Amino acid sequence: MGVLLPRAIPQPDLVAFAHEADACAYAYVFDELRVVEDLGYRGGLVQAATMLARTRRIRVGLRLLPAARNVAT
C-alpha cells in the first residue's frame, strides 16, 4: 500500500511529509511513496530525489511522468 505526495504541497513541507511517510513505513502502514509529475507544478524527478535522500525505508516512485516536457504542450 502506498501514499501519494500531494502535488500542491508547500515546498517547506516536502521533507516533513517524507519523514511522516517513512515513519509509517516502519510501522508497516505504507510501503511506498509516489510522486506525481504534473506540468503545472514542481518537477516530480526533483521531488523524488529529495524523498530518496531524506528517507530510509519507504520506496519512492514516480506515478506519472509526461513524455513531452515542452512548454507549448
Side-chain angles (χ1 to χ4, degrees), residues 50-65:
T50 302
M51 301 300 119
L52 284 169
R54 304 296 273 185
T55 58
R56 293 179 179 241
R57 180 166 174 25
I58 199 163
R59 293 180 295 188
V60 177
L62 292 169
R63 183 164 179 246
L64 177 65
L65 186 63

Side-chain angles (χ1 to χ4, degrees), residues 6-59:
R7 66 182 187 168
I9 190 171
Q11 189 171 356
D13 296 339
L14 286 174
V15 174
F17 189 91
H19 286 164
E20 288 293 322
D22 203 35
C24 289
Y26 278 105
Y28 299 104
V29 176
F30 300 119
D31 58 353
E32 68 181 42
L33 170 63
R34 292 291 181 136
V35 179
V36 175
E37 169 93 359
D38 196 351
L39 294 177
Y41 292 89
R42 294 181 293 273
L45 294 175
V46 173
Q47 290 182 17
T50 302
M51 301 300 119
L52 284 169
R54 304 296 273 185
T55 58
R56 293 179 179 241
R57 180 166 174 25
I58 199 163
R59 293 180 295 188

